[in-house]
């Protein structure tokens, strides 16, 4: 190991195997991330990248997919073959063993499953069968696994069992690329490195919390994929519940992987189980119809490529969740996500209670909003605190104003892209930003009643115009008074 300026260690040697080397994720995210890591000297000194996929290609053609890396002495190899064919893994093993001898990769292997989910268990089994999963003393063999982790609780459990038949939990790195975003990690810094927020972060002062993951894009060319996923599986079960867990969990004993993950699991376990009969009051399912986004007319979901003309797949989902613990009892958490919403934004808004008594006439405070701390995760990453201030002059009036902190303005450093962090941490064996088995299964437990309700079409489908903030029914989740509506981010 060598030490970087920030104290993190870079593994000295190892091989990265990309299963799905010709795919979209590999080309768009993994190779550019590797190139940037190499530019910052954050790849192992003795490093080899081995690609596996069915398309025929030479080692040189493969190396050309990550320009700049070969020039830095990284050796590139490509194994063409199907995951269904035992011979693919025999040849892969020969290639890896040869790399150990020729390039000093020392038996360390990071297997990255950048391929179709139906191949995850198959590849793990084949690695086990060829004796490539077991860690000889002094080496590592790690498996990085992309989302989705299962299609529901039963298939997630099945996949977990298949992986555990071959790999031990400490070898499995389940990605939620949201966790690798700097501003998501900053939720931890904000909460646990400051004295001014945490004392307010509980049921005594917080009225409710709103989490929004809004996209302005539609499904694009991914209609066929999205038909199988929907907002629940694409965003809520994984990213939204992770952001919720970091926002609401108790302070961990340290920032070590298991200390943080223990607290997240504890929080996920505290989410009150959704009862089927309560769902109509707690869940709003939406689908976008034609509208205007950024001044451009856009089609409705049912008219998108690869989408069934009578599809009931949700492109919007809003939920009211309760957390049954001492900190949060009685504080609702409202979460929402959607495609084709007014703009792209991910944020957590903590809305505080009103002061117990206002020594001002009602006319002086009519337009005052509740105090709010907003953690802006993307874009324009930052933190905003809103509060009431006196409007200059007379009569005495109070209006809401903001304190705004922007990452870009405060720091010169470019934050690493999420996939740089994913690859770097997996090579170091730091699992803090990856999901542990029990976290994934708990998240599925939370959403399963909704999965089942959708399967039985037991909840109404509410349409919303593309370019809006979702169906009006979503406001009703917050309450029935005029003031009860989602914050406009
Ligand atoms: N794309 C994204 O932006 C994105 C974002 C987040 C997560 N993910 C996840 O990342 C994973 C990969 O997604 P993707 O979009 O990159 O998929 P993709 O473009 O369809 O790529 C799949 C890759 O797997 C290979 N492959 C498929 N079946 C194979 C088989 N039987 N034997 C050998 N190779 C096989 C394909 O290569 P050949 O056809 O050459 O064999 C290709 O390289 C998925 O789990 C996805 O959910 C993707």
């Amino acid at each position: 190991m060598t030490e970087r300026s920030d104290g993190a260690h870079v593994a000295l040697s190892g091989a990265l195997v990309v299963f799905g080397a010709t795919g979209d994720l590999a080309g768009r995210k993994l190779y550019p991330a590797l190139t940037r890591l190499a530019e910052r000297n954050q790849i192992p000194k003795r490093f080899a990248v081995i690609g596996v996929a069915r398309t025929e290609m030479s080692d040189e053609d493969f190396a050309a997919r990550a320009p700049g890396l070969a020039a830095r002495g990284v050796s590139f190899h490509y194994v063409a073959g199907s995951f269904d064919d035992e011979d693919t893994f025999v040849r892969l093993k020969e290639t890896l063993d040869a790399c150990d001898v020729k390039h000093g990769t020392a038996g360390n292997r990071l297997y990255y499953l950048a391929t179709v989910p139906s191949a995850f268990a198959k590849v793990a089994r084949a690695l086990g069968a060829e004796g490539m999963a077991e860690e000889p003393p002094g080496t590592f063999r790690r498996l990085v696994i992309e989302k989705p982790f299962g299609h529901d609780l039963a298939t997630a459990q099945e996949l977990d069992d298949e992986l555990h038949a071959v790999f031990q939990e400490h070898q499995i790195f389940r990605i939620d690329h949201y966790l690798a975003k700097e501003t998501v990690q900053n939720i931890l810094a904000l909460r646990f490195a400051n004295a001014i927020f945490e004392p307010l972060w509980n049921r005594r002062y917080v009225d409710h919390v709103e989490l929004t993951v809004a996209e302005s894009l539609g499904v694009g060319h991914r209609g066929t994929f999205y038909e199988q996923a929907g907002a629940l599986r694409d965003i809520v079960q994984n990213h939204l519940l992770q952001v919720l867990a970091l926002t609401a969990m108790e302070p961990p004993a340290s920032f070590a992987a298991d200390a943080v993950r223990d607290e997240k699991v504890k929080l996920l376990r505290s989410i009150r189980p959704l009862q089927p009969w309560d769902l109509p009051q707690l869940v709003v399912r939406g689908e976008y119809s034609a509208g205007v986004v950024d001044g451009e007319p856009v089609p409705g979901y049912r008219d998108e490529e690869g989408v069934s003309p009578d599809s009931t797949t949700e492109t919007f989902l809003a939920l009211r969740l309760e957390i049954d613990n001492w900190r949060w009892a009685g504080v609702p958490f409202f979460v929402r996500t959607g495609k084709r919403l007014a703009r792209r934004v991910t944020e957590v808004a903590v809305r505080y209670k009103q002061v117990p008594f206002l020594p001002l006439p009602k006319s002086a405070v009519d337009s005052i909003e509740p105090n709010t701390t907003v953690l802006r995760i993307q874009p324009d990453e930052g933190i905003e605190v809103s509060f009431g201030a006196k409007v200059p002059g007379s009569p005495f009036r109070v209006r809401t104003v903001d304190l705004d902190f922007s990452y870009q303005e405060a720091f010169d450093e470019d934050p690493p892209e999420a996939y740089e962090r994913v690859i770097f941490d997996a090579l170091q064996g730091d699992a803090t930003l990856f999901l542990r088995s029990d976290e994934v299964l708990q998240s599925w437990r939370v959403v399963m009643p909704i999965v089942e309700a959708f399967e039985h079409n037991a909840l109404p489908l509410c349409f919303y115009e593309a370019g809006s903030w979702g169906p009006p029914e979503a406001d009703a989740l917050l309450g029935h008074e005029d003031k009860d509506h989602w914050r406009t981010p």
Side-chain angles (χ1 to χ4, degrees), residues 20-26 28 52-55 81-84 113-117 120 146-148 177 419:
T22 57
D24 178 66
L25 180 79
R28 267 188 330 108
V52 189
R54 287 165 303 193
T55 308
S82 166
F83 303 144
D84 298 301
L113 295 178
T115 187
V116 290
F120 291 171
E146 270 293 341
K147 76 168 199 186
H177 73 270
Y419 276 92

Side-chain angles (χ1 to χ4, degrees), residues 383-456:
I383 293 164
E384 193 182 300
V385 179
S386 67
F387 52 91
K390 183 184 172 303
V391 181
S394 57
F396 197 107
R397 282 188 300 126
V398 177
R399 191 193 300 152
T400 297
V401 293
D402 296 327
L403 270 181
D404 207 338
F405 156 79
S406 150
Y407 260 81
Q408 226 175 358
E409 285 169 22
F411 296 105
D412 290 335
E413 295 91 339
D414 274 341
E417 209 267 331
Y419 276 92
E420 289 171 51
R421 192 66 203 256
V422 162
I423 298 170
F424 181 82
D425 283 4
L427 279 167
Q428 310 324 304
D430 180 351
T432 314
L433 305 179
F434 295 84
L435 306 180
R436 205 168 58 189
S437 161
D438 50 355
E439 277 182 85
V440 177
L441 299 177
Q442 274 303 321
S443 305
W444 276 116
R445 178 201 59 84
V446 171
V447 301
M448 275 316 287
I450 311 174
V451 169
E452 282 155 16
F454 285 178
E455 271 165 14
H456 297 110

